[in-house]
Amino acid sequence: MKKSFIAILSTILIFSGFKVKSQVEYDKYFTDNQLRIDYYLFGNADTVSYALDKLVKEPKWGGPRTQLIDEMNYGMYFFEVTLPDSDLVLYSHGYNLLFGEWQTTDEATKISKGFHESVVMPFPKESVEVTFYSKNYNLELMEQMKIIVEPNDYFIKPAPKLPYAIFNVYGNFPTEKAVDIVLLPDGYTEKDMGKFVKDCEFFVKSLFSYAPYDRYQNSFNVRAVMVPSQDSDITMPGDGLYRNTALSCSFWTFDSERYCMTYDNETMKTLAGQVPYDQIYILANTKKYGGGGIFNSYCVSTTGNSYSSDVIIHEFGHGFAGLADEYAYEGTDNYPLDVEPWEPNITTLVNFDSKWKDMLGKKTPVPTPVENKYEKTVGVYEGAGYQMIGIYRPMIDCLMHTFDGDKFCPVCERAIERMIKHYTE
C-alpha cells in the first residue's frame, strides 16, 4: 500500500510558486474528524530543523468549514494542505510557536534545544500534501518540511479516549459557527475540581465582560476537560518549588519570572483533542500573577490573582487575535524597523495602509504625541512591541499596553471581531 507520510526536510528556499487559494467545499475533501500532526523543531538562535513525530486521528474537527484558507497572513509559521501534484490549496493556517520565542533568548545563542509541536487540520478524504513554512526577516515564507498524508494508512494513530469528564462550561452552538475554546486545568487536584469549575465560570464571565466579546456571546462554546493533578499549585523554579501537575506549567519560562507556560505539548494536545476546539486555554491554579499566550498555539493564565480577569483577556488577545504587546522597554530590538510587523495592532509605518490608517482622523498627526488631548484618540504613538523607538501603537493606553484602562482600543477590538468572524461566518 502507499505509505501514509513521507517527511522531506528541504533546503530552506523562499516559496514563490503560484497556488490556487479560493475557498473550497469542505465536505468534498474532508471528514468530520481532525488530524493532528506532531513534529519536532531542533535548533538554536540561527538554525532550525524539522522532524516528523506522528499523525493522530482525533474525533471532531472544531475549526471553520467555510473559511478554510487563512488569508490574514498572521504568525511566523504557516502550513498549507494541497492535493498532490496540484496547485489547489484545501486548507492553510498561520501560527506562532514557543520554539520561535525561545530563539530570541540569550540561551538560544549558546545551546541547541528541541521542542515538540503540533498542528491540526480537518481529516482528509484522500491523499494530501502538507507543507510547513517558517518566515524570514522579511516575512517571506520559507519551506521547511513536506509530508504526504494517506488517510487510510494504519500508521495514523486513533486518539485515546481518556477517562476524564467533560464539563460544558458555556454554549451549545454548532462548532462550525462558533469559536470553540477548551479549558485545561493545571495544578488542580481531585479535591480542587470544584474550584476548577468555578474558575471556568470565572473565565466565561471575564471573557464577556470586555468588548467586543460581549457582543458575540452566541459565537462561543467553552468546554473543559476535568483532568486532576497530583499536586496543587504549579512549578516555580526560581523559588525552588517543583510540583507534579497534569500539564507541567511553570513560571520562569525562558528565565522570565512572570512568564508561565508548558513544554509538554503532547499532553496538552492529547487532552485538548477530547473535544472540538479552536483555541486551548490552560487555567493554572495559583495565586501568583502571570501567564502567557502564543498565537494559534495556546494560552495560560493564573486564576487566584486580583488581576486574573485582565490577564485572561490580555493573553487571549495574543493567542486568539494575534495582538502584540504594546508596552516597551529600554534597550530592546525584537522587531526590524524596515519591515511592517504582522500583528494588527503595531506598526513601523512601513506599510501603515495595511493597519489602522483608515481609522485616523484627518487632523491626527502621525506620529501622534502622547499628550492628554489625545488620550481618547486613535493615533500612532511611539513605543510598542517591547521597543521604545520606531514601533507604534494605536492609542495611549489599551489592555495590550497596561491594565489601567481596562478595555481594548478600537483597533484591537476590530482585530478581535475579524478573528471571531473568521471562525463563525
Side-chain angles (χ1 to χ4, degrees), residues 98 184-188 229 231-238 241-253 257-265 267-268 271 280-286 288 290-292 298-302:
L98 193 63
L184 303 177
D186 202 37
Y188 295 83
S229 294
D231 297 330
S232 284
D233 218 306
I234 63 171
T235 293
M236 302 181 189
L241 299 173
Y242 294 86
R243 274 105 180 196
N244 182 1
T245 61
L247 288 155
S248 303
C249 285
S250 173
F251 285 98
W252 279 274
T253 299
E257 179 179 356
R258 303 294 180 180
Y259 198 25
C260 179
M261 303 298 282
T262 178
Y263 293 99
D264 192 355
N265 173 74
T267 297
M268 176 180 67
L271 289 169
I280 300 172
Y281 210 116
I282 301 172
L283 300 182
N285 184 29
T286 183
K288 188 176 178 70
Y298 71 100
C299 298
V300 179
S301 178
T302 62

Side-chain angles (χ1 to χ4, degrees), residues 37 44 125 127 271 358 367:
I37 304 174
N44 53 38
K125 289 183 175 180
S127 178
L271 289 169
D358 62 310

Side-chain angles (χ1 to χ4, degrees), residues 142-388:
M142 300 182 296
E143 183 177 317
Q144 298 287 358
M145 181 174 70
K146 185 174 291 186
I147 66 174
I148 300 296
V149 177
E150 171 54 57
N152 294 322
D153 192 73
Y154 44 69
F155 286 114
I156 300 178
K157 299 176 61 175
K161 176 62 177 175
L162 301 178
Y164 305 120
I166 305 301
F167 169 41
N168 192 55
V169 186
Y170 177 87
N172 191 26
F173 306 105
T175 57
E176 65 272 19
K177 295 294 184 181
V179 179
D180 293 278
I181 303 172
V182 58
L183 300 179
L184 303 177
D186 202 37
Y188 295 83
T189 65
E190 286 280 10
K191 293 181 179 179
D192 294 326
M193 282 294 105
K195 181 179 184 300
F196 177 56
V197 168
K198 292 180 179 179
D199 288 343
C200 290
E201 293 167 346
F202 174 75
F203 174 92
V204 171
K205 181 179 179 181
S206 298
L207 183 70
F208 296 138
S209 294
Y210 297 83
Y213 299 109
D214 58 346
R215 302 193 292 271
Y216 291 91
Q217 296 188 35
N218 292 338
S219 297
F220 285 84
N221 294 320
V222 183
R223 304 174 182 91
V225 182
M226 308 291 284
V227 52
S229 294
Q230 187 68 34
D231 297 330
S232 284
D233 218 306
I234 63 171
T235 293
M236 302 181 189
D239 295 330
L241 299 173
Y242 294 86
R243 274 105 180 196
N244 182 1
T245 61
L247 288 155
S248 303
C249 285
S250 173
F251 285 98
W252 279 274
T253 299
F254 304 157
D255 205 25
S256 177
E257 179 179 356
R258 303 294 180 180
Y259 198 25
C260 179
M261 303 298 282
T262 178
Y263 293 99
D264 192 355
N265 173 74
E266 184 168 3
T267 297
M268 176 180 67
K269 291 297 173 62
T270 300
L271 289 169
Q274 301 299 297
V275 300
Y277 70 89
D278 297 304
Q279 297 288 317
I280 300 172
Y281 210 116
I282 301 172
L283 300 182
N285 184 29
T286 183
K287 294 181 179 180
K288 188 176 178 70
Y289 170 83
I294 302 176
F295 175 60
N296 276 343
S297 185
Y298 71 100
C299 298
V300 179
S301 178
T302 62
T303 57
N305 187 272
S306 60
Y307 289 102
S308 289
S309 181
D310 287 328
V311 173
I312 284 171
I313 299 304
H314 176 94
E315 301 304 347
F316 198 57
H318 292 313
F320 175 60
L323 300 178
D325 283 317
E326 295 178 7
Y327 48 83
Y329 305 110
E330 293 286 352
T332 56
D333 57 350
N334 291 42
Y335 289 87
L337 298 183
D338 59 346
V339 177
E340 187 64 40
W342 63 266
E343 295 94 330
N345 62 320
I346 60 173
T347 182
T348 55
L349 296 177
V350 170
N351 183 15
F352 189 41
D353 286 349
S354 68
K355 295 301 177 67
W356 63 92
K357 186 176 180 180
D358 62 310
M359 300 177 72
L360 263 60
K362 292 182 179 180
K363 296 184 179 181
T364 303
V366 177
T368 314
V370 180
E371 299 175 358
N372 289 339
K373 66 178 180 178
Y374 295 115
E375 183 179 3
K376 297 182 179 180
T377 301
V378 173
V380 186
Y381 302 92
E382 192 167 32
Y386 319 116
Q387 296 177 209
M388 300 293 292

Side-chain angles (χ1 to χ4, degrees), residues 363-419:
K363 296 184 179 181
T364 303
V366 177
T368 314
V370 180
E371 299 175 358
N372 289 339
K373 66 178 180 178
Y374 295 115
E375 183 179 3
K376 297 182 179 180
T377 301
V378 173
V380 186
Y381 302 92
E382 192 167 32
Y386 319 116
Q387 296 177 209
M388 300 293 292
I389 305 297
I391 307 284
Y392 303 87
R393 63 189 188 274
M395 289 194 72
I396 293 176
D397 197 23
C398 170
L399 267 171
M400 301 311 295
H401 181 240
T402 75
F403 294 160
D404 293 342
D406 206 34
K407 65 180 181 179
F408 289 110
C409 71
V411 173
C412 290
E413 280 199 33
R414 183 171 72 171
I416 293 168
E417 285 186 303
R418 284 176 172 173
M419 194 62 72

